[in-house]
Amino acid sequence: MTAVSERPRLTSVEARLDALANRLLATAPALGARARLVEFAVFVLKQAWACVFGAAFLAVVLAAKLWYPDDAPLARNDALTIAAVLIQVVMVLGRLETLRELRVIVTFHVVGTLMELFKTDVGSWMYAADGVLRLGGVRLYSGFMYAAVGSYMVRVYRLFDLRFTRYPRRWITAVVAVAIYANFFTHHWIVDLRWVLILAVVVLWGRTMMHFRFFRGRFRMPILLAFAGVAVFIWLAENIATYAGAWLYPSQVGEWHPVDVSKLSSWFLLMIVSVVLVTWVYPPREPQRSVRGVDRALVD
């Protein structure tokens, strides 16, 4: 694992917001129930800020379902694509994302779009037929849904000052990520290896602890628990997106119903691909240690 002491810098906008938040929280108590409530509030707000791209696009998708006119000259799918592009432009020009992070987001956008082309061709899911901004049966906004996952990953990394103990070697994680991505294609012709790959993830990251800060203290948790939590969150967002008609699985065409929980395994694995991509922009760092080698301000 690469040990890097430098903390990824906040963007200029985030630095100003962080300074304002610190001034407002300067008088917050250090102990007691109110202190824990403040810590929790900061955690929730930082998570919301990390999700800003995905939340903004999901809001647009829901708004389009509720209010976009059926007879509009611009197809709804094309309007969603244009909205997604505008959100991404605002994120960069507004200094909410760095150009360095944009590389990961664009890469995940391409990775997701390639898989969409294949999956729609084999009938795994489908999009409405309207609109011209598409590649085959894939609407171009679909890549931004994958980009939203990448955006969350890179933002949460620096907002929470993530650090890791016993993180596996990056080249090994890259091999597993490539195998996971390949399995999304090959399982249509050969045996589905997803459970073997999930086992590989458990073995590889099983001893890894994730250390994070969201206000005063540092906390830690098994990274596998964090992986599972993110997968559940994405699955919930997928339910909202399919309800709004962003795409549909074949079983949802007649009448919408919640996405099967079996999709959690797919999102868990696809999220691992995103994690590996992020580590090539922000190499995993070990927790800062004092002279005696004790984690500084670490709270279990």
Side-chain angles (χ1 to χ4, degrees):
M1 170 182 152
T2 303
V4 181
S5 59
E6 182 184 359
R7 176 179 178 175
R9 294 180 180 179
L10 300 176
T11 67
S12 58
V13 171
E14 289 171 340
R16 288 195 292 271
L17 291 174
D18 187 60
L20 174 62
N22 285 332
R23 288 197 296 271
L24 293 174
L25 295 170
T27 59
L31 298 172
R34 188 180 169 196
R36 290 192 291 273
L37 183 61
V38 169
E39 290 275 6
F40 179 73
V42 174
F43 173 80
V44 171
L45 289 172
K46 281 195 172 184
Q47 284 286 348
W49 186 247
C51 297
V52 66
F53 179 92
F57 183 60
L58 202 57
V60 169
V61 171
L62 280 172
K65 175 181 175 59
L66 294 173
W67 298 300
Y68 200 80
D70 294 333
D71 57 350
L74 181 66
R76 187 176 78 108
N77 283 333
D78 290 346
L80 290 177
T81 300
I82 294 171
V85 172
L86 291 176
I87 293 171
Q88 185 64 80
V89 170
V90 169
M91 292 286 289
V92 176
L93 294 183
R95 300 186 183 278
L96 304 182
E97 283 175 352
T98 67
L99 292 177
R100 184 182 184 188
E101 292 167 349
L102 187 62
R103 295 203 304 266
V104 173
I105 295 168
V106 170
T107 300
F108 205 51
H109 190 295
V110 173
V111 165
T113 300
L114 290 175
M115 190 168 71
E116 286 281 330
L117 288 168
F118 175 80
K119 289 292 189 177
T120 53
D121 187 61
V122 299
S124 295
W125 54 78
M126 61 197 71
Y127 293 88
D130 61 323
V132 297
L133 298 179
R134 61 183 179 178
L135 292 174
V138 178
R139 300 304 172 265
L140 293 183
Y141 67 76
S142 66
F144 288 95
M145 293 185 288
Y146 294 89
V149 178
S151 176
Y152 170 79
M153 291 296 178
V154 294
R155 291 166 64 76
V156 80
Y157 192 94
R158 56 184 166 77
L159 289 174
F160 286 85
D161 189 22
L162 297 187
R163 298 172 186 267
F164 308 89
T165 51
R166 296 184 294 274
Y167 197 91
R169 294 183 181 275
R170 283 190 295 166
W171 72 266
I172 299 177
T173 66
V175 170
V176 172
V178 169
I180 288 171
Y181 187 65
N183 187 69
F184 281 110
F185 297 84
T186 59
H187 82 84
H188 289 276
W189 303 296
I190 62 176
V191 63
D192 189 352
L193 297 175
R194 77 175 61 198
W195 296 110
V196 175
L197 293 167
I198 289 175
L199 178 60
V201 170
V202 171
V203 170
L204 195 57
W205 278 277
R207 297 174 63 246
T208 304
M209 296 295 293
M210 184 177 75
H211 303 248
F212 54 97
R213 177 195 300 275
F214 44 85
F215 182 31
R216 286 177 174 151
R218 289 198 68 86
F219 302 81
R220 68 178 183 178
M221 67 186 296
I223 196 171
L224 289 177
L225 182 59
F227 288 168
V230 173
V232 170
F233 180 81
I234 297 173
W235 177 77
L236 292 173
E238 180 183 37
N239 275 280
I240 297 173
T242 54
Y243 172 76
W247 75 91
L248 291 171
Y249 291 103
S251 63
Q252 294 176 314
V253 173
E255 182 180 1
W256 181 87
H257 59 80
V259 178
D260 194 280
V261 293
S262 64
K263 289 293 180 183
L264 279 169
S265 62
S266 298
W267 282 116
F268 179 86
L269 290 173
L270 191 63
M271 184 263 307
I272 296 297
V273 176
S274 182
V275 168
V276 172
L277 285 173
V278 171
T279 62
W280 290 96
V281 171
Y282 293 135
R285 303 162 299 147
E286 294 177 353
Q288 291 180 342
R289 298 186 180 272
S290 67
V291 175
R292 289 190 252 175
V294 179
D295 285 349
R296 188 183 305 167
L298 180 64
V299 180
D300 292 327

PDB file of all heavy atoms in Angstrom, residues 5 14 30 49 54 83 112 118-119 126 141 144 183 209 220 239 247 250 260 269:
ATOM      1  N   SER A   5       1.034  11.116   3.095  1.00  0.00           N
ATOM      2  CA  SER A   5       0.581  11.899   4.236  1.00  0.00           C
ATOM      3  C   SER A   5      -0.268  13.095   3.833  1.00  0.00           C
ATOM      4  O   SER A   5      -1.052  13.614   4.605  1.00  0.00           O
ATOM      5  CB  SER A   5       1.780  12.394   5.054  1.00  0.00           C
ATOM      6  OG  SER A   5       2.625  13.195   4.254  1.00  0.00           O
ATOM      7  N   GLU A  14     -15.429  24.392  -1.693  1.00  0.00           N
ATOM      8  CA  GLU A  14     -15.555  23.546  -0.509  1.00  0.00           C
ATOM      9  C   GLU A  14     -14.735  24.082   0.658  1.00  0.00           C
ATOM     10  O   GLU A  14     -15.145  23.972   1.817  1.00  0.00           O
ATOM     11  CB  GLU A  14     -15.136  22.118  -0.852  1.00  0.00           C
ATOM     12  CG  GLU A  14     -16.120  21.409  -1.749  1.00  0.00           C
ATOM     13  CD  GLU A  14     -15.608  20.078  -2.259  1.00  0.00           C
ATOM     14  OE1 GLU A  14     -14.374  19.870  -2.235  1.00  0.00           O
ATOM     15  OE2 GLU A  14     -16.425  19.258  -2.690  1.00  0.00           O
ATOM     16  N   ALA A  30     -17.882  19.335  23.198  1.00  0.00           N
ATOM     17  CA  ALA A  30     -16.995  18.234  22.845  1.00  0.00           C
ATOM     18  C   ALA A  30     -17.480  16.909  23.388  1.00  0.00           C
ATOM     19  O   ALA A  30     -17.053  15.842  22.917  1.00  0.00           O
ATOM     20  CB  ALA A  30     -15.580  18.517  23.356  1.00  0.00           C
ATOM     21  N   TRP A  49     -23.397  16.282   0.528  1.00  0.00           N
ATOM     22  CA  TRP A  49     -22.537  17.053  -0.364  1.00  0.00           C
ATOM     23  C   TRP A  49     -21.779  16.134  -1.315  1.00  0.00           C
ATOM     24  O   TRP A  49     -21.597  16.456  -2.488  1.00  0.00           O
ATOM     25  CB  TRP A  49     -21.581  17.898   0.460  1.00  0.00           C
ATOM     26  CG  TRP A  49     -20.745  18.846  -0.337  1.00  0.00           C
ATOM     27  CD1 TRP A  49     -19.403  18.803  -0.508  1.00  0.00           C
ATOM     28  CD2 TRP A  49     -21.205  19.982  -1.080  1.00  0.00           C
ATOM     29  NE1 TRP A  49     -18.978  19.845  -1.308  1.00  0.00           N
ATOM     30  CE2 TRP A  49     -20.071  20.583  -1.677  1.00  0.00           C
ATOM     31  CE3 TRP A  49     -22.461  20.543  -1.300  1.00  0.00           C
ATOM     32  CZ2 TRP A  49     -20.169  21.711  -2.471  1.00  0.00           C
ATOM     33  CZ3 TRP A  49     -22.552  21.676  -2.095  1.00  0.00           C
ATOM     34  CH2 TRP A  49     -21.418  22.240  -2.671  1.00  0.00           C
ATOM     35  N   GLY A  54     -25.203  13.055  -8.143  1.00  0.00           N
ATOM     36  CA  GLY A  54     -26.242  12.041  -8.301  1.00  0.00           C
ATOM     37  C   GLY A  54     -27.595  12.539  -7.838  1.00  0.00           C
ATOM     38  O   GLY A  54     -28.624  12.259  -8.482  1.00  0.00           O
ATOM     39  N   ALA A  83     -29.559  17.990 -19.533  1.00  0.00           N
ATOM     40  CA  ALA A  83     -29.514  18.364 -18.116  1.00  0.00           C
ATOM     41  C   ALA A  83     -28.302  17.750 -17.432  1.00  0.00           C
ATOM     42  O   ALA A  83     -27.627  18.406 -16.626  1.00  0.00           O
ATOM     43  CB  ALA A  83     -30.803  17.922 -17.423  1.00  0.00           C
ATOM     44  N   GLY A 112     -19.213   2.565 -18.043  1.00  0.00           N
ATOM     45  CA  GLY A 112     -20.638   2.300 -17.901  1.00  0.00           C
ATOM     46  C   GLY A 112     -21.366   2.290 -19.230  1.00  0.00           C
ATOM     47  O   GLY A 112     -22.224   1.428 -19.472  1.00  0.00           O
ATOM     48  N   PHE A 118     -23.891  -3.141 -24.439  1.00  0.00           N
ATOM     49  CA  PHE A 118     -23.992  -4.600 -24.466  1.00  0.00           C
ATOM     50  C   PHE A 118     -25.270  -5.078 -23.790  1.00  0.00           C
ATOM     51  O   PHE A 118     -25.998  -5.918 -24.329  1.00  0.00           O
ATOM     52  CB  PHE A 118     -22.766  -5.220 -23.780  1.00  0.00           C
ATOM     53  CG  PHE A 118     -22.831  -6.717 -23.659  1.00  0.00           C
ATOM     54  CD1 PHE A 118     -22.525  -7.525 -24.742  1.00  0.00           C
ATOM     55  CD2 PHE A 118     -23.220  -7.311 -22.461  1.00  0.00           C
ATOM     56  CE1 PHE A 118     -22.599  -8.904 -24.639  1.00  0.00           C
ATOM     57  CE2 PHE A 118     -23.291  -8.679 -22.354  1.00  0.00           C
ATOM     58  CZ  PHE A 118     -22.985  -9.484 -23.438  1.00  0.00           C
ATOM     59  N   LYS A 119     -25.556  -4.544 -22.597  1.00  0.00           N
ATOM     60  CA  LYS A 119     -26.688  -5.037 -21.816  1.00  0.00           C
ATOM     61  C   LYS A 119     -28.028  -4.742 -22.489  1.00  0.00           C
ATOM     62  O   LYS A 119     -28.953  -5.570 -22.430  1.00  0.00           O
ATOM     63  CB  LYS A 119     -26.653  -4.413 -20.415  1.00  0.00           C
ATOM     64  CG  LYS A 119     -25.528  -4.929 -19.529  1.00  0.00           C
ATOM     65  CD  LYS A 119     -25.727  -6.390 -19.159  1.00  0.00           C
ATOM     66  CE  LYS A 119     -24.736  -6.849 -18.114  1.00  0.00           C
ATOM     67  NZ  LYS A 119     -24.953  -8.237 -17.688  1.00  0.00           N
ATOM     68  N   MET A 126     -33.972  -1.847 -20.695  1.00  0.00           N
ATOM     69  CA  MET A 126     -34.330  -1.097 -21.903  1.00  0.00           C
ATOM     70  C   MET A 126     -34.669   0.343 -21.554  1.00  0.00           C
ATOM     71  O   MET A 126     -34.982   0.672 -20.403  1.00  0.00           O
ATOM     72  CB  MET A 126     -35.518  -1.755 -22.605  1.00  0.00           C
ATOM     73  CG  MET A 126     -36.778  -1.804 -21.761  1.00  0.00           C
ATOM     74  SD  MET A 126     -37.987  -3.004 -22.388  1.00  0.00           S
ATOM     75  CE  MET A 126     -37.154  -4.539 -21.984  1.00  0.00           C
ATOM     76  N   TYR A 141     -27.682   9.830 -21.537  1.00  0.00           N
ATOM     77  CA  TYR A 141     -27.661  10.205 -20.118  1.00  0.00           C
ATOM     78  C   TYR A 141     -27.311   9.024 -19.218  1.00  0.00           C
ATOM     79  O   TYR A 141     -26.962   9.201 -18.046  1.00  0.00           O
ATOM     80  CB  TYR A 141     -28.976  10.833 -19.681  1.00  0.00           C
ATOM     81  CG  TYR A 141     -30.172   9.899 -19.670  1.00  0.00           C
ATOM     82  CD1 TYR A 141     -30.348   8.959 -18.652  1.00  0.00           C
ATOM     83  CD2 TYR A 141     -31.149   9.973 -20.656  1.00  0.00           C
ATOM     84  CE1 TYR A 141     -31.458   8.126 -18.630  1.00  0.00           C
ATOM     85  CE2 TYR A 141     -32.254   9.145 -20.648  1.00  0.00           C
ATOM     86  CZ  TYR A 141     -32.405   8.223 -19.630  1.00  0.00           C
ATOM     87  OH  TYR A 141     -33.499   7.380 -19.624  1.00  0.00           O
ATOM     88  N   PHE A 144     -24.045   9.059 -17.400  1.00  0.00           N
ATOM     89  CA  PHE A 144     -23.946   9.977 -16.274  1.00  0.00           C
ATOM     90  C   PHE A 144     -24.423   9.329 -14.972  1.00  0.00           C
ATOM     91  O   PHE A 144     -24.037   9.762 -13.886  1.00  0.00           O
ATOM     92  CB  PHE A 144     -24.753  11.245 -16.554  1.00  0.00           C
ATOM     93  CG  PHE A 144     -24.119  12.129 -17.586  1.00  0.00           C
ATOM     94  CD1 PHE A 144     -24.505  12.038 -18.921  1.00  0.00           C
ATOM     95  CD2 PHE A 144     -23.137  13.040 -17.237  1.00  0.00           C
ATOM     96  CE1 PHE A 144     -23.920  12.847 -19.891  1.00  0.00           C
ATOM     97  CE2 PHE A 144     -22.549  13.859 -18.193  1.00  0.00           C
ATOM     98  CZ  PHE A 144     -22.937  13.756 -19.531  1.00  0.00           C
ATOM     99  N   ASN A 183     -16.909 -10.102 -16.161  1.00  0.00           N
ATOM    100  CA  ASN A 183     -17.986 -11.033 -15.831  1.00  0.00           C
ATOM    101  C   ASN A 183     -19.358 -10.470 -16.172  1.00  0.00           C
ATOM    102  O   ASN A 183     -20.291 -11.229 -16.460  1.00  0.00           O
ATOM    103  CB  ASN A 183     -17.926 -11.394 -14.346  1.00  0.00           C
ATOM    104  CG  ASN A 183     -18.914 -12.487 -13.971  1.00  0.00           C
ATOM    105  OD1 ASN A 183     -18.765 -13.633 -14.369  1.00  0.00           O
ATOM    106  ND2 ASN A 183     -19.943 -12.125 -13.220  1.00  0.00           N
ATOM    107  N   MET A 209      -9.277  -1.823   7.217  1.00  0.00           N
ATOM    108  CA  MET A 209     -10.091  -0.892   8.004  1.00  0.00           C
ATOM    109  C   MET A 209     -10.047   0.486   7.359  1.00  0.00           C
ATOM    110  O   MET A 209      -8.989   0.938   6.902  1.00  0.00           O
ATOM    111  CB  MET A 209      -9.563  -0.794   9.433  1.00  0.00           C
ATOM    112  CG  MET A 209      -9.653  -2.087  10.222  1.00  0.00           C
ATOM    113  SD  MET A 209     -11.361  -2.628  10.516  1.00  0.00           S
ATOM    114  CE  MET A 209     -11.944  -1.334  11.616  1.00  0.00           C
ATOM    115  N   ARG A 220     -13.331   4.581  12.673  1.00  0.00           N
ATOM    116  CA  ARG A 220     -12.924   3.528  11.752  1.00  0.00           C
ATOM    117  C   ARG A 220     -14.002   2.466  11.663  1.00  0.00           C
ATOM    118  O   ARG A 220     -14.817   2.293  12.570  1.00  0.00           O
ATOM    119  CB  ARG A 220     -11.607   2.905  12.181  1.00  0.00           C
ATOM    120  CG  ARG A 220     -11.654   2.097  13.459  1.00  0.00           C
ATOM    121  CD  ARG A 220     -10.288   1.498  13.749  1.00  0.00           C
ATOM    122  NE  ARG A 220     -10.328   0.663  14.936  1.00  0.00           N
ATOM    123  CZ  ARG A 220      -9.292  -0.011  15.408  1.00  0.00           C
ATOM    124  NH1 ARG A 220      -8.112   0.072  14.787  1.00  0.00           N
ATOM    125  NH2 ARG A 220      -9.395  -0.756  16.493  1.00  0.00           N
ATOM    126  N   ASN A 239     -34.062   2.147  -7.611  1.00  0.00           N
ATOM    127  CA  ASN A 239     -35.507   2.015  -7.502  1.00  0.00           C
ATOM    128  C   ASN A 239     -36.200   3.325  -7.864  1.00  0.00           C
ATOM    129  O   ASN A 239     -37.226   3.330  -8.557  1.00  0.00           O
ATOM    130  CB  ASN A 239     -35.891   1.587  -6.078  1.00  0.00           C
ATOM    131  CG  ASN A 239     -35.824   0.088  -5.884  1.00  0.00           C
ATOM    132  OD1 ASN A 239     -36.729  -0.639  -6.272  1.00  0.00           O
ATOM    133  ND2 ASN A 239     -34.736  -0.367  -5.305  1.00  0.00           N
ATOM    134  N   TRP A 247     -34.963   4.049 -16.904  1.00  0.00           N
ATOM    135  CA  TRP A 247     -34.836   2.794 -17.642  1.00  0.00           C
ATOM    136  C   TRP A 247     -35.725   1.785 -16.947  1.00  0.00           C
ATOM    137  O   TRP A 247     -36.232   2.031 -15.843  1.00  0.00           O
ATOM    138  CB  TRP A 247     -33.390   2.301 -17.698  1.00  0.00           C
ATOM    139  CG  TRP A 247     -32.869   1.710 -16.419  1.00  0.00           C
ATOM    140  CD1 TRP A 247     -32.906   0.401 -16.032  1.00  0.00           C
ATOM    141  CD2 TRP A 247     -32.232   2.422 -15.359  1.00  0.00           C
ATOM    142  NE1 TRP A 247     -32.340   0.254 -14.791  1.00  0.00           N
ATOM    143  CE2 TRP A 247     -31.915   1.479 -14.354  1.00  0.00           C
ATOM    144  CE3 TRP A 247     -31.892   3.758 -15.140  1.00  0.00           C
ATOM    145  CZ2 TRP A 247     -31.277   1.838 -13.158  1.00  0.00           C
ATOM    146  CZ3 TRP A 247     -31.266   4.121 -13.965  1.00  0.00           C
ATOM    147  CH2 TRP A 247     -30.963   3.167 -12.995  1.00  0.00           C
ATOM    148  N   PRO A 250     -37.044  -5.777 -17.903  1.00  0.00           N
ATOM    149  CA  PRO A 250     -38.171  -6.407 -18.610  1.00  0.00           C
ATOM    150  C   PRO A 250     -39.373  -6.697 -17.724  1.00  0.00           C
ATOM    151  O   PRO A 250     -40.518  -6.528 -18.145  1.00  0.00           O
ATOM    152  CB  PRO A 250     -37.542  -7.695 -19.160  1.00  0.00           C
ATOM    153  CG  PRO A 250     -36.104  -7.347 -19.364  1.00  0.00           C
ATOM    154  CD  PRO A 250     -35.762  -6.425 -18.218  1.00  0.00           C
ATOM    155  N   ASP A 260     -35.401  -6.106  -7.895  1.00  0.00           N
ATOM    156  CA  ASP A 260     -35.101  -7.294  -7.091  1.00  0.00           C
ATOM    157  C   ASP A 260     -33.829  -7.083  -6.268  1.00  0.00           C
ATOM    158  O   ASP A 260     -32.856  -6.509  -6.744  1.00  0.00           O
ATOM    159  CB  ASP A 260     -34.923  -8.502  -8.024  1.00  0.00           C
ATOM    160  CG  ASP A 260     -34.957  -9.809  -7.248  1.00  0.00           C
ATOM    161  OD1 ASP A 260     -33.917 -10.169  -6.654  1.00  0.00           O
ATOM    162  OD2 ASP A 260     -36.012 -10.463  -7.233  1.00  0.00           O
ATOM    163  N   LEU A 269     -20.494  -5.255  -6.850  1.00  0.00           N
ATOM    164  CA  LEU A 269     -19.326  -5.527  -7.686  1.00  0.00           C
ATOM    165  C   LEU A 269     -18.970  -4.327  -8.562  1.00  0.00           C
ATOM    166  O   LEU A 269     -17.779  -3.999  -8.730  1.00  0.00           O
ATOM    167  CB  LEU A 269     -19.580  -6.764  -8.546  1.00  0.00           C
ATOM    168  CG  LEU A 269     -19.630  -8.086  -7.775  1.00  0.00           C
ATOM    169  CD1 LEU A 269     -20.067  -9.233  -8.691  1.00  0.00           C
ATOM    170  CD2 LEU A 269     -18.271  -8.409  -7.155  1.00  0.00           C
TER     171      LEU A 269
END
